[in-house]
Structures are given as structure tokens and as C-alpha cells.
Amino acid sequence: MNSTRTGSTRYTPDAVPAPGPSAARMTIPAPTDPAASARAQHPSSRPVPAILSARTLTKTYGSTTALSGLTLDIRAGESVAIMGTSGSGKTTLLHCLAGIVLPDSGRITLNTAAGSTRIDSLNESGRSRLRRESFGFVFQQGLLIPELTALENVAIALMLNGLDRTTAEQASAGWLQSLGLAGMEQRRIGELSGGQAQRVAIARAQVTGAGVIFADEPTGALDSATSAEVMQVLLDSTTGASKTLVVVTHDDTVASRCARVVSLQDGRLVGDSAGGAR
Amino acid sequence: MSTAVVDFRSAVRLAWLLARPGAAGGSAAGLPVLAFGLVTALLLIVLAGALSFFRWQDPAAGLYQLLAVLALVLLVLPLLTLGGAAARLSARRRDDRLSTLRLLGATPSTVGIITVLESTALAAAGAVAGVAGYLLLAPLVQLIEFRGAPIGTAFWLNPLAVAGVAAAVVLLAAASAAAGLGKVVISPLGVRTRQAPAKVHWFRGVLGALVIVAGYAAVSTGYASAAIAIAVVLGTFAAGLAVLNLLGPWVVAVLGRRQLRKASTAGKLLAARAILESPKAAWRQVSGVAMTSFVAVFGGTGAALAGSSPQETMGPEQFIAGDIRTGILITIGVSFLMVACSAGVNQASAVLDRADLYSSLDRLGMPRHVMDRARIRAVMLPLLLVSLGSAAVAALLVLPLAGLALVMAPLSVLTIAACLAAGIGVVRGGLWATGPVMAKVLEPAR
């Protein structure tokens, strides 16, 4: 069951068809969907172009400069670890790339088969929609909804995109199963371990078939064994399926699992394992 | 020196150290102070109004005094609910600091004492503001007429009584904060609520139905003595209010389960789960309107009954019908004010409690209107159900007393309908007023 990206819509109807306004155009990607995503996004492109392109980004908070003329390209299907000390600007960079905050100046472009989108020129609701439909997020504490079950926490991402609940829950159950959470669908978040909760967050980030997954210290609250396990699940389900993974971390072990490591200091790029600093 | 004394001393020092505005700005502290201020002011005004009736010594004064006590009882319950909501808000507003203290090695009892001290301090500030509010509003309230003359100077309370009410509000805050601590676990990694949702037993439904049937039978029976009849009516009235509190959470839980099964959108799913998370809390948010609806049916029928008296009366009795109407209007009006504040304070508290979650949902791309609709739905659905339900229970109990003609009299129906509409409107207004709190919570993410 491959999912293919076409035009402004997200997936071709090769999986579970879903009724509803925007859902009519949408099908849900299967949990194990090897190498489909990036190929689908850029079927004939070689070499792989930048799926996210940031140019001379600056961002200040009061008198603090978080980003200072930073330029970075992230290619489709790669895993990138953004490292740096506290205050280096790594989380601000992730927030800018994901359209959570706007840079004071500079350009951020999302390139897909549907065309290019200037994230920095979208309004709040446009960026909200982009985050909902094109990106997935995994936060340090998972930040799942405590009163919902594991299944509902995943399904809600699809329901926000207009899918009906039954279809959304069917697809979500598949994701939970593939991430080793079969039988835990009806548990509330408080009834799961930290690692299990992060797997739910990973399922939620990916169930919509987002091509780019942003993770902010995804293993920060976990012990080392669980951390390695969660990182493996995250990599398998993203780059393993040719999706793009952007991880903010200060943990060398986590960074070493990524194909590329970029380092920030004082809002500038000071190291890039793929080709030096800019 | 005992460990408890050391804990208390360090807690006092830490509470003093932490008594400066947090990142959430003044609103986190301002809301509970405002709510405590309102509780104190309303308590004082209601108490002063009720006690002013006790200056009369004539035979007809007994009825006024009885009704004043009844109104006081009716208003004190929702006031205590509002006080409790304010205390919970003040206790939960700085969870982050408390969990940090736990991380630094503070014991659970130290953190507990800090929370109670902070709530008490905010309540004390609110109580002072409330006394000022009472003094400012008194000249206006004094103009209200009973028995053909303004209340006037009889409205002024003894300073000791004023101090007593303020102290009671502060004590309520301290007790409520201490009780609220039992429901959360302040760990070094943050503040968690319990893992399993609260269950509400179906037995409440059965017991509630039995009380209603018994009440109906009691008021349908003829009594030889008027005193016994009055006692039965008042007893039924009190039992009716008690049954509302008993039935309310169970009815809200049944509604939540039904909504959960039917939920087809993200907003409806969130709302249903929010109701089921704590049916008692959901009930608390709307219980004021349920009580007011109940009172409105009794009050509306009472007003119709008072107005239907055919004979011309002289002396103090001539004012009774009009005064009953005035009393009912004041009781209902004050009740609405408290309901609106309770809804606002509870919602502000809920939004601040879940600030991180709302912020993360915003990052995930959940539109603001979905979050708003979910939290509004979680309040408005139970509200509609319980306000209509409690009016129906009241009508059932009042029917044998007044008869269908009086319950359905235009004045009665108008009073009931206006109360329901106003109750629903003020709660919706209270929810609307929390919009800026939500905006503030989402602001850092933008």
C-alpha cells in the first residue's frame, strides 16, 4: 500500500478511502510504507532536492538573537540532527522551519511535488494548516492529550484533517500495532510508560502521512535504553520510509543515529557533517 | 525541633521567595483574587440584606425572615462552589514552580504548605477587595425597597460580622487548596492528575429518583397543621436541591458517555472526553444554573401565586406580593452573577492547567476554533441538559402544591424562561471572557 503525493492534495486513493470535505481527497498511509514518501514527493528528481530550504534567517527575542543569518537546506528522506548548547537557537530554528514562529527576516521554502510554498509568507491559519497536513511533531514529553486513549490521541490528527472517526481509528490502530502497542489502544496516556507514550506521539506524528517529521528532544525524558528504542522506532518509521526527520537534540547518542548533524552556536551554523558550516 | 516545624518554616520562607509574578503574568494571580473578592462582596451583601429583615418584630415579619433565610441558604451554596473554584485556580496556577521545588528536594509536605499559604494569601487579598466592594455597593443596595421603604442603614453589618465573613472566605480557600492537593501528584517531573477518570455510580440515579418520588408524595399529601405543611414544603425544597447535587454528576456522566459514542469530529471527541474526565467537575461548572433553574420554578410559581391573591390587603401585608417578586429577582440575579463568575474562573483555571497541552496542539496545527469549540461544548452541553432537567424536577415537585394552572401561568412561565435564557447566556458569557486567557496561553508559540 503505497501512498503518493499529488498536486495540492496529499495522498492518492490507494488505501482506506475517507469521506468528508477535505478527506475526500485523502487516503491514509500504511504504517510500513517503505521508500514511498520521498519517491512520491519527487518521482523523477535526482539528485534529491531540498525539501526544506532556509535562507538567511534571523530571529530575535527582545535583546536576544536566536538566529543570525542562518542558511540551511534539508533534503527529502534524510535525517538531520540539530545540535548546540542551550540558547544556541536550535529550537528556534526548528520552530521557524515548521512554521510555528516566523523569522524576523529570511526565507523558508517547502518544496514538494505540488510546488514550492513560502512558509514565512503564510498567515497564521495557513501555517496551522501546513503543520496539520504536511508536518508531524514529536515533543520531549509527548504532550499527548491525557483524557484521550492512545488510539484517540493518534486518530485526532486524522480527524482534524476531516476524516471520519471510524476510518481514523482504524488507521491509527494499524500505526499503534506497527509501533509495538497492540492491545494498548484503549489505555489512557497516564497508563503508559514514557517510552510507550513517545511511541503514541510518533504514531500521531506520522498517521497523516506527513513527509517531514520534527522532533524536539524526543528522548529527553527517557532512560538510555528506552531512548535508544524510541529513536530506533522514530528512524525506522521516518527515514526508513523515505520521510524526512529533523531532530533537535543535545544528546550525542541521538545525533549519531542521524545521517547528518548540523551544529549551531549563537544562532549561526558552525558545523555541518554534510558539507561544513555556512 | 520537629520535622513538621522545620518543613513549615522552610515552606514559609520559600512561599515568600516565590511571591513574585511568574511568567504567566498577573492574570494567574489576578483571577483568583478577583473571584475571592467577588465571593466576599456578594456574601456580605446577601448576609446584610437577609439580616436587615430581622429588624422587624410584627407578625408578618416572620414570613420575610423565613424567606430571607431561604434565599441565604440558596445563595451560600453556589458562593461556596465559586470560592472552591477560586481556591483550585490559585492552587494550580504555579505548578511549574512547585515541581521545580520538588526536583530540588523539597518534600511533598513543604510543597503542600506553600500551595496552601499562597492560596490563603490570595484569598486574603481578595477578601479585602471584597469588603471594599461591599462598602462601595452598599449605598446602591440600600435603595432597594422592602415593605414600601428603602433598606437604608439597616443594611450595615456589624464590623465583627464583616471580619468573620472575610475570615471564612480565607479559611475556605485554605481548606479547598489543601483538599485540592490530594487530587494531584506534584512530582519533580511535573504535576500529574490521576490516571483513571473518576467513576460516577449509577446508584446515584436510583437514589435521586427515589427522593423525587418521595418528595412528590410528601407534597401531595394533605396536612392538618399549617406548620407541618410549611415544614414539608421547605423539606421537599431542600431535598430537591440535594437531589440535584446527587443526580447532577451521574446525569452529566451519562451524557458524556453518549456524546463519546456519537463524537464524529475532533472537537466533539475532546469535549466528550473532557466531560468524562471528571463528571463531578463538569457538574460543578453548571450546578449554579441548575440550582437557579430549580429556584426559578419555585420562584416563578411563588410570584404567580403572590400576584393571584384576590383580596385587598392593608398594612404590612400589602407589600408581600411585590416584595416576594423583588426578593426572587435579587436571589436569581445574584445567583447568575456567581454562575457566570464560576464558569469564567473554572474555565480560566482549566485553560491555565492545560497551557502546555494547548500550546502543543497549536503547534500540531489544531485550529484555535477547534480548541475553543471543544471547551465551550464541554460546558454548554451539560448546562443545557441540567438546567432543563432541574427545572423539570422542580416543576414536578411544585405541581401538587400550586397546581398546573399556576405553574403554567404567564408570569411563572415568563420567569422560568427568562431565568433559563439568562443562565445559559451568562455561562456562555463567562466562557467568552476566558478567550484572552487562551490567547495568552498560545502567544508564546507564535
Side-chain angles (χ1 to χ4, degrees):
Chain A
M1 269 203 314
N2 291 343
S3 44
T4 309
R5 195 163 186 146
T6 54
S8 63
T9 59
R10 310 221 29 264
Y11 307 100
T12 54
D14 59 353
V16 188
S22 63
R25 300 177 274 121
M26 179 180 180
T27 31
I28 304 147
T32 48
D33 195 12
S37 182
R39 272 205 319 272
Q41 286 160 14
H42 299 283
S44 59
S45 53
R46 286 291 182 273
V48 181
I51 190 167
L52 272 170
S53 180
R55 290 286 172 276
T56 57
L57 297 185
T58 61
K59 178 76 182 171
T60 55
Y61 294 104
S63 58
T64 307
T65 302
L67 296 177
S68 177
L70 190 143
T71 291
L72 177 70
D73 283 331
I74 293 173
R75 289 178 289 279
E78 74 175 346
S79 56
V80 183
I82 302 173
M83 292 198 78
T85 54
S86 182
S88 60
K90 53 188 191 297
T91 296
T92 303
L93 174 60
L94 182 137
H95 287 175
C96 284
L97 292 172
I100 293 169
V101 295
L102 285 175
D104 296 336
S105 65
R107 269 196 339 257
I108 308 158
T109 313
L110 172 70
N111 300 302
T112 65
S116 294
T117 307
R118 278 283 298 275
I119 297 175
D120 56 282
S121 61
L122 291 174
N123 63 13
E124 179 51 40
S125 71
R127 283 183 285 128
S128 233
R129 184 173 176 186
L130 187 77
R131 296 198 294 271
R132 194 165 66 237
E133 296 183 347
S134 300
F135 299 150
F137 295 90
V138 181
F139 301 110
Q140 181 174 0
Q141 302 276 4
L143 288 176
L144 297 158
I145 304 172
E147 60 262 31
L148 300 190
T149 63
L151 184 68
E152 289 166 349
N153 260 293
V154 181
I156 205 157
L158 287 170
M159 291 168 77
L160 280 172
N161 281 337
L163 231 68
D164 71 277
R165 187 173 164 192
T166 309
T167 316
E169 290 193 344
Q170 278 170 2
S172 304
W175 268 98
L176 289 176
Q177 200 169 16
S178 75
L179 295 180
L181 295 174
M184 298 184 187
E185 294 87 349
Q186 297 308 320
R187 288 199 193 171
R188 286 152 52 89
I189 301 310
E191 296 169 321
L192 299 174
S193 69
Q196 288 166 341
Q198 273 311 55
R199 286 169 187 244
V200 175
I202 292 169
R204 181 180 67 177
Q206 307 218 47
V207 71
T208 59
V212 183
I213 307 300
F214 293 99
D216 190 355
E217 303 281 9
T219 60
L222 304 174
D223 61 73
S224 57
T226 314
S227 168
E229 193 184 299
V230 165
M231 199 55 206
Q232 188 59 51
V233 168
L234 189 56
L235 284 164
D236 286 348
S237 59
T238 51
T239 51
S242 296
K243 292 177 180 174
T244 309
L245 176 65
V246 183
V247 184
V248 161
T249 183
H250 62 268
D251 184 341
D252 289 330
T253 316
V254 169
S256 67
R257 307 286 301 273
C258 295
R260 181 180 169 198
V261 179
V262 295
S263 303
L264 265 62
Q265 189 182 321
D266 298 330
R268 296 173 190 276
L269 200 63
V270 294
D272 185 344
S273 65
R278 287 168 195 274
Chain B
M1 201 180 300
S2 74
T3 319
V5 174
V6 173
D7 258 0
F8 186 77
R9 283 190 176 172
S10 58
V12 172
R13 279 198 292 271
L14 284 167
W16 181 251
L17 190 68
L18 293 172
R20 57 188 71 173
S27 66
L31 270 170
V33 170
L34 184 74
F36 284 126
L38 199 82
V39 168
T40 312
L42 288 177
L43 259 177
L44 288 169
I45 290 170
V46 167
L47 186 67
L51 290 180
S52 72
F53 289 177
F54 285 82
R55 69 186 187 276
W56 299 315
Q57 302 297 328
D58 59 281
L63 178 66
Y64 280 87
Q65 287 153 7
L66 182 75
L67 292 175
V69 171
L70 194 64
L72 197 61
V73 170
L74 281 173
L75 291 174
V76 162
L77 283 174
L79 269 173
L80 293 180
T81 308
L82 174 57
R88 274 190 298 280
L89 174 62
S90 65
R92 295 295 311 270
R93 79 201 165 89
R94 300 210 292 181
D95 290 347
D96 51 344
R97 293 182 178 205
L98 299 179
S99 50
T100 304
L101 286 177
R102 288 279 287 116
L103 192 64
L104 292 174
T107 63
S109 64
T110 306
V111 170
I113 293 166
I114 292 173
T115 306
V116 173
L117 283 176
E118 283 196 341
S119 288
T120 310
L122 291 176
V128 170
V131 171
Y134 158 70
L135 295 174
L136 282 172
L137 288 172
L140 285 177
V141 184
Q142 283 174 326
L143 297 177
I144 298 172
E145 289 192 3
F146 280 101
R147 295 183 130 188
I151 301 176
T153 51
F155 188 72
W156 293 117
L157 282 171
N158 181 324
L160 275 178
V162 175
V165 167
V169 168
V170 174
L171 277 177
L172 168 77
S176 187
L181 277 177
K183 292 177 186 164
V184 295
V185 183
I186 301 172
S187 81
L189 292 177
V191 177
R192 298 192 311 273
T193 48
R194 64 193 172 281
Q195 292 182 354
K199 292 269 191 298
V200 182
H201 206 274
W202 57 265
F203 186 67
R204 282 170 177 262
V206 176
L207 196 62
L210 283 175
V211 174
I212 293 170
V213 171
Y216 185 87
V219 290
S220 303
T221 311
Y223 295 96
S225 153
I228 294 175
I230 289 173
V232 167
V233 170
L234 287 180
T236 305
F237 187 83
L241 282 174
V243 102
L244 283 185
N245 261 319
L246 191 73
L247 270 177
W250 177 74
V251 170
V252 167
V254 171
L255 171 77
R257 280 194 290 275
R258 192 177 148 75
Q259 290 296 318
L260 179 66
R261 278 195 300 276
K262 283 171 44 186
S264 56
T265 64
K268 287 177 181 172
L269 178 64
L270 285 173
R273 280 293 185 194
I275 293 170
L276 285 174
E277 176 70 3
S278 175
K280 284 180 190 168
W283 160 251
R284 264 201 305 272
Q285 293 208 43
V286 299
S287 61
V289 173
M291 300 283 179
T292 309
S293 303
F294 188 86
V295 175
V297 174
F298 273 80
T301 312
L305 182 67
S308 67
S309 180
Q311 69 270 36
E312 288 289 320
T313 50
M314 295 298 287
E317 282 81 12
Q318 66 179 307
F319 300 111
I320 287 178
D323 287 351
I324 286 177
R325 270 196 292 274
T326 308
I328 288 167
L329 280 177
I330 291 172
T331 308
I332 290 172
V334 172
S335 179
F336 280 152
L337 195 56
M338 286 184 296
V339 165
C341 289
S342 280
V345 167
N346 275 313
Q347 271 302 304
S349 176
V351 170
L352 289 174
D353 272 359
R354 297 157 64 88
D356 283 347
L357 182 67
Y358 282 128
S359 180
S360 77
L361 290 175
D362 178 65
R363 288 177 188 182
L364 295 176
M366 184 180 280
R368 161 90 189 264
H369 68 82
V370 174
M371 293 184 236
D372 280 336
R373 274 185 206 158
R375 66 192 187 89
I376 288 168
R377 192 179 166 86
V379 176
M380 295 308 284
L381 270 183
L383 175 71
L384 288 172
L385 181 77
V386 301
S387 54
L388 292 173
S390 59
V393 170
L396 192 70
L397 292 176
V398 89
L399 208 57
L401 290 172
L404 190 62
L406 269 179
V407 176
M408 299 305 288
L411 180 61
S412 177
V413 171
L414 194 68
T415 309
I416 296 164
C419 284
L420 285 176
I424 290 163
V426 290
V427 172
R428 185 66 186 79
L431 289 170
W432 174 81
T434 58
V437 181
M438 185 64 142
K440 183 98 182 162
V441 159
L442 296 182
E443 203 174 281
R446 299 275 158 83

